[in-house]
Amino acid sequence: DAGVTQSPTHLIKTRGQQVTLRCSPKSGHDTVSWYQQALGQGPQFIFQYYEEEERQRGNFPDRFSGHQFPNYSSELNVNALLLGDSALYLCASSQIPATGELFFGEGSRLTVL
Amino acid sequence: AQSVTQPDIHITVSEGASLELRCNYSYGATPYLFWYVQSPGQGLQLLLKYFSGDTLVQGIKGFEAEFKRSQSSFNLRKPSVHWSDAAEYFCAVGAPSGGSYIPTFGRGTSLIVHP
């Protein structure tokens, strides 16, 4: 049973560029959440997708957007990259109704130069 | 708004010694509390969770946590630490919303284990 998979694992971008990160949820899960984890910090909630719609959103600007596909996989897009966007981006899957456990991928490490 | 404080950035223990990681939360209602562990280069894994009932919760890998409402705390404990327990530990608080959970995480405590 494959867990949560994310791609790419590492990437380097320059300021002003755009990036797309991808996530495949754990088998049987229908909900995907994205988190940003800056160095030395805990994960910060970006948004959650369920039934191909953004259901909840954290305190992140509109430069951060996402999408969920019919097979439940998801993308996170970040436009006009800033140096401060450098972080580990984590995808977590779960199911509704929720059991309280999030299953995390290993993350995509984004470096913005 | 809910928040979590993990007062210890780093904790160093010897292998075989006992461990307690501190977590204090702020939440307006009955909290749902979680501890996650993150090993280097890995995603987060749930160790245990508290929703209601018995305030002493057992988790995986020999960990337990105790919910103390009067102290707004949910400290993680392990009686004997193994070298493989070296990792980052995150406490989180949340509640169901729209059928799902959106936990708020603390900044984490890094556990260093000496042989």
Side-chain angles (χ1 to χ4, degrees):
Chain A
D1 177 22
V4 179
T5 57
Q6 292 187 241
S7 63
T9 54
H10 296 83
L11 69 167
I12 300 173
K13 295 285 186 178
T14 56
R15 282 177 295 175
Q17 285 190 313
Q18 178 263 346
V19 68
T20 297
L21 307 178
R22 296 175 175 82
C23 172
S24 292
K26 178 180 171 64
S27 178
H29 286 186
D30 54 11
T31 303
V32 173
S33 302
W34 287 93
Y35 288 80
Q36 180 194 66
Q37 186 179 17
L39 198 62
Q41 301 295 319
Q44 299 292 314
F45 174 69
I46 303 175
F47 43 55
Q48 182 185 78
Y49 276 83
Y50 172 66
E51 292 187 332
E52 302 180 48
E53 291 187 7
E54 182 182 296
R55 297 291 178 161
Q56 299 195 55
R57 189 178 182 92
N59 188 26
F60 279 80
D62 292 344
R63 298 187 297 109
F64 289 77
S65 63
H67 188 79
Q68 185 179 36
F69 299 93
N71 66 352
Y72 308 120
S73 66
S74 176
E75 288 182 349
L76 165 64
N77 301 290
V78 186
N79 296 321
L81 285 168
L82 304 173
L83 296 180
D85 295 331
S86 295
L88 180 67
Y89 288 85
L90 295 165
C91 171
S93 74
S94 56
Q95 57 194 38
I96 288 178
T99 62
E101 180 169 3
L102 297 176
F103 287 79
F104 284 84
E106 296 182 359
S108 294
R109 172 74 63 185
L110 171 64
T111 301
V112 182
L113 301 176
Chain B
Q2 59 205 37
S3 67
V4 174
T5 301
Q6 294 182 247
D8 303 306
I9 297 176
H10 301 283
I11 289 282
T12 301
V13 299
S14 297
E15 191 169 15
S18 63
L19 170 70
E20 182 169 33
L21 302 183
R22 296 184 291 166
C23 172
N24 293 98
Y25 66 89
S26 174
Y27 192 69
T30 301
Y32 291 69
L33 296 159
F34 309 84
W35 274 99
Y36 282 82
V37 60
Q38 184 179 33
S39 298
Q42 303 291 316
L44 280 71
Q45 181 185 21
L46 181 69
L47 286 175
L48 46 78
K49 63 187 178 187
Y50 171 80
F51 286 177
S52 64
D54 192 347
T55 56
L56 185 62
V57 180
Q58 301 298 320
I60 62 171
K61 304 185 180 185
F63 286 93
E64 66 177 26
E66 185 171 13
F67 169 57
K68 294 185 178 180
R69 184 187 300 275
S70 62
Q71 298 178 19
S72 298
S73 70
F74 188 57
N75 294 348
L76 182 71
R77 302 194 294 246
K78 186 170 184 178
S80 178
V81 170
H82 188 262
W83 64 267
S84 61
D85 292 325
E88 193 81 19
Y89 291 80
F90 295 94
C91 181
V93 63
S97 176
S100 184
Y101 292 84
I102 309 294
T104 296
F105 289 86
R107 64 174 296 166
T109 297
S110 178
L111 174 63
I112 301 165
V113 180
H114 282 315

